[in-house]
Amino acid sequence: MPDQTPIKSGFVAIVGRPNVGKSTLINAMVGEKVSIVTPVPQTTRNRILGIVNRPDAQVVLMDTPGIHKPLCRLNKAMMGFVRQALEERDLVLFIVDATQKFGKGDEFALEFLKQYAAKTILLLNKIDLMNKLQLLPLMDRYSKLHEFEEIIPISALQGDGIPEVIDGVLKYLPEGPQYFPPEVYTDQPERFLAGEIIREKVIRHTRQELPYVTAVLIDKFEEGETITGIHATIVVEKDSQKPIVIGAGGSMLKQVGTEARRELERLFPPKVFLELYVKVEAHWRDNRAMVAALDYRREG
Ligand code: GDP
Ligand code: MG
């Protein structure tokens, strides 16, 4: 009687400093691209659920913005998501970049985490970049900082240690219900995912000139039988930034648009019509309405 067999299920918060590989880990565990991955820190703004489905388990992963001291209103909202994820979790995966020295930022993240007294598995990521002989002393050092349930070395990028992470997670999850139908791997509204894909392309192409300043608002999202129409506005903070996003003769915007459309067509086949606009909105990161508009859960 398969439907009477209890499954293990629960919510797992993935926390750590910016750029340690949280989004990469979620994508590796889920096997689908649910969270954008970029070399620029602080690109994950909203809570994103990735879901690992197995016949015996359902693991709901919560991606969080990197833990950092909040300075502007957007950052405060971002830290709010981290807190919320920590409050709702059954288990925490605390991820660090094993190639970096444990510094003030990690200490801040760990102290932040300790306030929640959550069961925590420590993941030492990016071991593909290290000499394996350095691992044991590193694990030893971390085990003295906090009582982690387990310490698992991984390479999220190469998929090393991912089965061990999933096994580790299942050990500490309770028996529970199937929270989502098994064919679902994210609860992201499609338009939010669309905005994230566009934002990722903008960041990829303009990161030298425009660190952290872009937001993407989806103005229109129409799913038809044969074509999905998407109108999106790329928001920058200063007049001087607008030409960077547009590029000479519109070349940058065109390239961003083409790459975004290709990826969007995989999500919304067979065809996507994408129209991109660029708008200047001074100090949008301190604008309450803009920050709220970016929070997809408050939509509609
Ligand atoms: P997040 O800010 O914590 O979500 O980090 P991301 O998942 O966006 O990753 C930040 C950067 O680190 C990206 O350039 C990733 O490709 C890279 N990265 C993540 N995991 C690994 C890993 O295991 N090995 C290596 N070499 N790079 C990684
Ligand atoms: Mg991320």
Side-chain angles (χ1 to χ4, degrees):
M1 288 190 286
D3 45 352
Q4 305 231 316
T5 317
I7 66 161
K8 286 212 159 180
S9 70
F11 289 78
V12 177
I14 301 196
V15 297
R17 296 180 61 195
N19 229 23
V20 293
K22 296 179 295 298
S23 299
T24 308
L25 173 73
I26 291 197
N27 293 334
M29 289 176 76
V30 176
E32 294 281 350
K33 187 163 175 177
V34 289
S35 184
I36 68 166
V37 178
T38 69
V40 185
Q42 294 188 24
T43 48
T44 305
R45 229 174 256 157
N46 294 71
R47 192 184 73 160
I48 292 175
L49 298 180
I51 302 171
V52 180
N53 283 301
R54 302 208 322 199
D56 58 335
Q58 184 168 68
V59 183
V60 184
L61 303 169
M62 298 186 284
D63 190 12
T64 62
I67 294 179
H68 56 273
K69 291 189 178 156
L71 296 173
C72 64
R73 193 187 289 277
L74 173 65
N75 283 350
K76 286 201 181 108
M78 286 165 71
M79 289 308 285
F81 289 125
V82 183
R83 288 181 194 283
Q84 191 184 347
L86 282 169
E87 277 156 16
E88 290 171 6
R89 60 49 197 137
D90 293 296
L91 180 74
V92 173
L93 292 178
F94 180 48
I95 172 165
V96 297
D97 182 340
T99 66
Q100 303 282 317
K101 265 215 168 78
F102 185 87
K104 281 249 177 317
D106 301 279
E107 209 177 291
F108 181 77
L110 189 58
E111 287 310 313
F112 188 86
L113 191 64
K114 283 183 183 180
Q115 300 167 27
Y116 291 86
K119 279 200 169 140
T120 302
I121 294 178
L122 173 66
L123 304 179
L124 302 175
N125 191 29
K126 308 196 187 184
I127 58 163
D128 55 294
L129 300 175
M130 306 176 47
N131 179 339
K132 303 289 173 289
L133 289 176
Q134 297 169 323
L135 272 177
L136 272 182
L138 195 64
M139 290 168 82
D140 190 51
R141 196 143 12 105
Y142 271 104
S143 66
K144 292 187 177 113
L145 290 175
H146 183 67
E147 267 200 40
F148 297 107
E149 308 306 316
E150 302 201 8
I151 301 181
I152 308 175
I154 63 167
S155 166
L157 192 65
Q158 302 190 341
D160 276 354
I162 300 302
E164 288 78 0
V165 174
I166 293 178
D167 287 346
V169 165
L170 293 185
K171 247 195 260 178
Y172 300 98
L173 284 191
E175 280 182 6
Q178 199 167 46
Y179 291 100
F180 297 90
E183 68 277 7
V184 171
Y185 61 84
T186 175
D187 80 338
Q188 289 291 291
E190 294 171 329
R191 56 194 289 152
F192 177 75
L193 268 182
E196 289 291 277
I197 286 170
I198 297 163
R199 197 159 62 88
E200 182 187 53
K201 305 304 173 207
V202 176
I203 292 169
R204 280 255 158 95
H205 287 285
T206 64
R207 66 168 173 267
Q208 262 97 34
E209 297 99 319
L210 292 179
Y212 323 131
V213 292
T214 41
V216 172
L217 296 172
I218 302 293
D219 308 312
K220 207 157 116 188
F221 189 98
E222 291 171 335
E223 261 182 294
E225 281 284 299
T226 54
I227 191 160
T228 303
I230 302 172
H231 289 197
T233 301
I234 299 165
V235 184
V236 294
E237 276 188 317
K238 295 183 195 138
D239 287 329
S240 62
Q241 295 167 338
K242 203 169 161 178
I244 298 172
V245 175
I246 293 172
S251 56
M252 180 67 86
L253 201 58
K254 199 168 161 200
Q255 194 172 1
V256 164
T258 305
E259 283 179 27
R261 183 175 46 76
R262 277 201 202 113
E263 190 159 336
L264 288 165
E265 282 179 344
R266 295 217 310 265
L267 275 179
F268 312 110
K271 230 173 151 42
V272 167
F273 173 76
L274 178 63
E275 187 104 343
L276 293 177
Y277 308 89
V278 183
K279 187 168 108 181
V280 181
E281 186 84 47
H283 310 298
W284 69 261
R285 278 182 290 182
D286 284 315
N287 176 331
R288 189 194 295 269
M290 275 287 294
V291 173
L294 286 167
D295 179 355
Y296 64 90
R297 288 165 307 160
R298 278 177 229 166
E299 247 181 32

